[in-house]
Amino acid sequence: FAAAAREHGKVGEIHLGAFRQRFGLELEQCFPDEIAFVLDRGLMEYHGQTLSLTSAGANVINGVIVLFYSNRVKEHLLAL
């Protein structure tokens, strides 16, 4: 997630092509529930080849980022 965002230089944005190139999968394949969550709540929106934070999402960026952590990292954090 962060790597795909950094490759295109914008914080709060995931470039879908960069994600696909780096991980060999579509973002939607890896995070369908998380994407539905952020879209339904107006935290992110699609702009062409990017999934970008909205102003509402920017206000809670730390919470949005965590949604896109790997399951292993999420499980570790919950076990703390």
Side-chain angles (χ1 to χ4, degrees), residues 19 27-36 67-69 74:
F19 187 93
L27 180 69
E28 293 83 355
Q29 289 176 282
C30 297
F31 299 102
D33 296 334
E34 294 83 348
I35 292 171
L67 295 172
F68 294 93
Y69 286 176
K74 289 178 190 177

Side-chain angles (χ1 to χ4, degrees), residues 5 9 18-19 22-23 26 31-34 36 38-40 43 45-47 49 52 55-56 66 68 70 73 76 80:
F19 187 93
R22 183 169 180 93
F23 300 106
E26 300 295 330
F31 299 102
D33 296 334
E34 294 83 348
V38 297
L39 292 175
D40 290 346
L43 301 173
E45 57 193 12
Y46 285 104
H47 292 279
Q49 281 295 303
S52 306
S55 56
V66 172
F68 294 93
S70 71
V73 171
H76 173 74
L80 293 176

